[in-house]
Amino acid sequence: MADTAGRLGLGTSPLGSLYTEVTDREARAVVDAAWESGVRIFDTAPHYGLGLAERRLGEALRDRPRDEFVLSTKVGRLLVPDPDATGLDPEGFAVPATLRREWDFSADGVRRSLESSLERLGLDRVDVVYVHDPDDHWEQAAGEAIPALVELREQGVIGAIGAGMNQWQMLARFVRESDVDVVLLAGRYTLLEQPALAELLPLCAERGVDVLAAGLFNSGLLARQDVPADATYDYATAPAAVVDRARRIAAVCARHGTTLPAVALWFPFGHPAVTGALIGARAESEIHANVAALASPPPADLWADLRSEGLLGLDVPTP
């Protein structure tokens, strides 16, 4: 239990006011609750709230012992002033659209992005840097961003490099064709679905590349025991068939005296390639609930029932 809880990290897209506003005070309470619960892995990105998440996370961590936590951020989206913009950020964050994102995986873009992130964080270093969502930018990300990050790693500016995406196929390509230390896999290895199981996870295990699992609730679908009809999946309203599958899994969880979100949190730790998992939270109560869910693992016969009902493959490892 302690080992699993210690591998839990805080993802900060909610602290950038994803979908709905989160106040400075609420954001600080989330980070403080995570720290007090033993969380020592913190992940952020310029994308989250147009830099707001980085500023809030840096403020909350600035007086913490620097060698006691692992901090990651991302590159690939430069934030530039947008004086003509009005209203809120069009990419889902409830923040004023005073900046806009520009895709840039060039070597110069990587260095500028990291410099800006450090300024927003108010810290002198980050431990891990990911290329962020390079789905349509393979050539530049692999040919320029990764080599630039490798150089920064060799210089000791950063500790490790990786790629963070919502798909597994390109992550596998990064593992095969570049010198990444870690991949951040969002939504593609969860209790609901495991498309990364056949190729990416064995490849990472073979190459010694860490896997950090994120999106464990599939952007909201698995976050509640009672799955609503309008639950979100992949940042959109979930199809009816997906909602039905989640509800069937929830029913099995209930029979075994546990909940859908608790089992979803435990699930990725069954695979030896997964070295950590990220959760997002917009309230300190969510942190306490998630950490409490890791106090004891689900019963072994729960996994057997999920398999017998066709809700989990026979080859899927479980905790």
Side-chain angles (χ1 to χ4, degrees):
M1 181 277 291
D3 176 60
T4 300
R7 291 155 63 190
L8 196 63
L10 180 68
T12 60
S13 60
L15 305 191
S17 292
L18 180 63
Y19 303 134
T20 58
E21 183 181 3
V22 172
T23 67
D24 288 345
R25 183 175 181 176
E26 290 167 335
R28 179 58 184 259
V30 166
V31 180
D32 288 349
W35 184 274
E36 290 158 9
S37 298
V39 171
R40 293 295 183 270
I41 301 168
F42 299 90
D43 176 72
T44 190
H47 173 54
Y48 304 154
L50 295 171
L52 179 61
E54 287 185 318
R55 289 194 294 271
R56 286 173 162 174
L57 181 62
E59 176 66 28
L61 293 177
R62 205 160 298 152
D63 295 327
R64 311 284 189 184
R66 184 60 187 88
D67 292 338
E68 291 187 15
F69 61 89
V70 175
L71 173 63
S72 59
T73 193
K74 306 181 183 77
V75 296
R77 293 173 174 90
L78 285 175
L79 302 181
V80 299
D82 192 0
D84 298 326
T86 59
L88 296 179
D89 172 39
E91 296 201 25
F93 293 89
V95 298
T98 55
L99 301 168
R100 73 174 187 273
R101 303 164 181 84
E102 287 187 356
W103 289 105
D104 191 336
F105 290 93
S106 68
D108 178 64
V110 163
R111 296 185 184 95
R112 288 165 57 200
S113 182
L114 181 57
E115 182 179 351
S116 295
S117 288
L118 289 171
E119 184 176 335
R120 285 187 291 268
L121 287 160
L123 298 169
D124 61 359
R125 64 181 170 91
V126 295
D127 302 292
V128 186
V129 177
Y130 297 98
V131 291
H132 195 191
D133 296 336
D135 303 69
D136 299 321
H137 306 273
W138 163 260
E139 295 297 336
Q140 192 178 52
E144 297 186 46
I146 293 293
L149 291 173
V150 168
E151 183 177 342
L152 291 171
R153 184 183 62 190
E154 290 174 347
Q155 293 170 351
V157 176
I158 57 179
I161 65 175
M165 306 184 71
N166 291 285
Q167 57 146 296
W168 66 266
Q169 294 92 334
M170 191 177 286
L171 290 181
R173 191 173 181 187
F174 276 112
V175 174
R176 285 193 300 266
E177 301 181 29
S178 73
D179 188 21
V180 294
D181 304 294
V182 57
V183 295
L184 198 168
L185 175 65
R188 304 287 79 86
Y189 191 69
T190 71
L191 182 63
L192 181 75
E193 56 182 291
Q194 304 88 40
L197 179 63
E199 182 177 341
L200 176 63
L201 297 189
L203 181 64
C204 289
E206 174 190 333
R207 301 289 179 91
V209 173
D210 291 337
V211 177
L212 195 62
L216 303 185
F217 298 146
N218 286 102
S219 56
L221 182 70
L222 307 183
R224 293 169 52 182
Q225 173 63 21
D226 298 317
V227 182
D230 62 349
T232 52
Y233 167 74
D234 274 359
Y235 308 104
T237 300
V242 176
V243 171
D244 178 68
R245 182 178 179 85
R247 287 174 172 172
R248 292 172 61 202
I249 296 172
V252 175
C253 295
R255 290 204 306 268
H256 290 276
T258 185
T259 66
L260 180 63
V263 178
L265 284 170
W266 268 99
F267 170 77
F269 293 109
H271 199 290
V274 176
T275 58
L278 292 180
I279 56 165
R282 61 180 61 250
E284 57 185 312
S285 59
E286 296 174 17
I287 294 290
H288 295 312
N290 289 330
V291 171
L294 292 171
S296 58
D301 51 356
L302 176 146
W303 307 111
D305 280 1
L306 288 174
R307 291 190 173 95
S308 68
E309 295 193 19
L311 297 168
L312 196 64
L314 298 177
D315 60 338
V316 178
T318 54

